[in-house]
mmCIF file of all heavy atoms in Angstrom:
data_model
loop_
_atom_site.group_PDB
_atom_site.id
_atom_site.type_symbol
_atom_site.label_atom_id
_atom_site.label_comp_id
_atom_site.label_asym_id
_atom_site.label_seq_id
_atom_site.Cartn_x
_atom_site.Cartn_y
_atom_site.Cartn_z
ATOM 1 N N VAL A 27 2.017 2.074 -3.487
ATOM 2 C CA VAL A 27 0.996 2.705 -4.321
ATOM 3 C C VAL A 27 0.907 4.192 -3.995
ATOM 4 O O VAL A 27 0.771 5.031 -4.888
ATOM 5 C CB VAL A 27 -0.379 2.012 -4.128
ATOM 6 C CG1 VAL A 27 -1.478 2.763 -4.836
ATOM 7 C CG2 VAL A 27 -0.316 0.577 -4.613
ATOM 8 N N MET A 28 0.993 4.523 -2.710
ATOM 9 C CA MET A 28 0.942 5.937 -2.306
ATOM 10 C C MET A 28 2.153 6.698 -2.842
ATOM 11 O O MET A 28 2.020 7.825 -3.312
ATOM 12 C CB MET A 28 0.877 6.055 -0.778
ATOM 13 C CG MET A 28 -0.459 5.604 -0.203
ATOM 14 S SD MET A 28 -1.861 6.492 -0.915
ATOM 15 C CE MET A 28 -1.545 8.138 -0.362
ATOM 16 N N LYS A 29 3.319 6.085 -2.796
ATOM 17 C CA LYS A 29 4.516 6.723 -3.343
ATOM 18 C C LYS A 29 4.350 6.960 -4.837
ATOM 19 O O LYS A 29 4.685 8.019 -5.352
ATOM 20 C CB LYS A 29 5.756 5.864 -3.092
ATOM 21 C CG LYS A 29 6.229 5.868 -1.669
ATOM 22 C CD LYS A 29 7.457 4.989 -1.504
ATOM 23 C CE LYS A 29 7.888 4.907 -0.066
ATOM 24 N NZ LYS A 29 9.027 4.013 0.125
ATOM 25 N N LEU A 30 3.808 5.954 -5.531
ATOM 26 C CA LEU A 30 3.600 6.072 -6.967
ATOM 27 C C LEU A 30 2.583 7.171 -7.277
ATOM 28 O O LEU A 30 2.787 7.975 -8.186
ATOM 29 C CB LEU A 30 3.140 4.739 -7.547
ATOM 30 C CG LEU A 30 2.945 4.688 -9.048
ATOM 31 C CD1 LEU A 30 4.252 5.017 -9.762
ATOM 32 C CD2 LEU A 30 2.461 3.322 -9.459
ATOM 33 N N ALA A 31 1.516 7.238 -6.505
ATOM 34 C CA ALA A 31 0.509 8.280 -6.715
ATOM 35 C C ALA A 31 1.117 9.663 -6.497
ATOM 36 O O ALA A 31 0.852 10.608 -7.251
ATOM 37 C CB ALA A 31 -0.683 8.057 -5.792
ATOM 38 N N CYS A 32 1.935 9.799 -5.466
ATOM 39 C CA CYS A 32 2.609 11.083 -5.216
ATOM 40 C C CYS A 32 3.562 11.430 -6.346
ATOM 41 O O CYS A 32 3.659 12.583 -6.748
ATOM 42 C CB CYS A 32 3.360 11.035 -3.881
ATOM 43 S SG CYS A 32 2.262 11.016 -2.454
ATOM 44 N N LEU A 33 4.248 10.427 -6.881
ATOM 45 C CA LEU A 33 5.169 10.642 -7.990
ATOM 46 C C LEU A 33 4.424 11.110 -9.234
ATOM 47 O O LEU A 33 4.845 12.040 -9.914
ATOM 48 C CB LEU A 33 5.952 9.361 -8.275
ATOM 49 C CG LEU A 33 7.001 9.422 -9.372
ATOM 50 C CD1 LEU A 33 8.058 10.475 -9.047
ATOM 51 C CD2 LEU A 33 7.665 8.075 -9.515
ATOM 52 N N VAL A 34 3.280 10.475 -9.522
ATOM 53 C CA VAL A 34 2.478 10.879 -10.677
ATOM 54 C C VAL A 34 1.995 12.312 -10.495
ATOM 55 O O VAL A 34 2.052 13.125 -11.416
ATOM 56 C CB VAL A 34 1.295 9.906 -10.897
ATOM 57 C CG1 VAL A 34 0.298 10.462 -11.898
ATOM 58 C CG2 VAL A 34 1.808 8.555 -11.369
ATOM 59 N N LEU A 35 1.543 12.645 -9.279
ATOM 60 C CA LEU A 35 1.096 14.011 -9.004
ATOM 61 C C LEU A 35 2.239 15.006 -9.196
ATOM 62 O O LEU A 35 2.056 16.063 -9.810
ATOM 63 C CB LEU A 35 0.537 14.111 -7.589
ATOM 64 C CG LEU A 35 0.035 15.476 -7.165
ATOM 65 C CD1 LEU A 35 -1.098 15.934 -8.075
ATOM 66 C CD2 LEU A 35 -0.417 15.450 -5.721
ATOM 67 N N ALA A 36 3.431 14.660 -8.723
ATOM 68 C CA ALA A 36 4.576 15.549 -8.900
ATOM 69 C C ALA A 36 4.893 15.744 -10.378
ATOM 70 O O ALA A 36 5.187 16.858 -10.820
ATOM 71 C CB ALA A 36 5.798 14.989 -8.167
ATOM 72 N N CYS A 37 4.815 14.664 -11.161
ATOM 73 C CA CYS A 37 5.058 14.774 -12.609
ATOM 74 C C CYS A 37 4.029 15.683 -13.256
ATOM 75 O O CYS A 37 4.355 16.467 -14.149
ATOM 76 C CB CYS A 37 5.004 13.396 -13.269
ATOM 77 S SG CYS A 37 6.433 12.374 -12.908
ATOM 78 N N MET A 38 2.792 15.591 -12.796
ATOM 79 C CA MET A 38 1.744 16.424 -13.373
ATOM 80 C C MET A 38 2.030 17.904 -13.103
ATOM 81 O O MET A 38 1.847 18.750 -13.965
ATOM 82 C CB MET A 38 0.376 16.034 -12.792
ATOM 83 C CG MET A 38 -0.089 14.688 -13.270
ATOM 84 S SD MET A 38 -1.631 14.001 -12.595
ATOM 85 C CE MET A 38 -2.324 15.190 -11.570
ATOM 86 N N ILE A 39 2.497 18.198 -11.910
ATOM 87 C CA ILE A 39 2.779 19.591 -11.542
ATOM 88 C C ILE A 39 3.986 20.126 -12.306
ATOM 89 O O ILE A 39 3.963 21.220 -12.839
ATOM 90 C CB ILE A 39 3.006 19.699 -10.016
ATOM 91 C CG1 ILE A 39 1.680 19.426 -9.293
ATOM 92 C CG2 ILE A 39 3.561 21.073 -9.640
ATOM 93 C CD1 ILE A 39 1.826 19.235 -7.801
#
Side-chain angles (χ1 to χ4, degrees):
V27 172
M28 289 304 296
K29 286 180 184 177
L30 183 60
C32 290
L33 182 59
V34 168
L35 180 60
C37 287
M38 290 176 5
I39 292 169

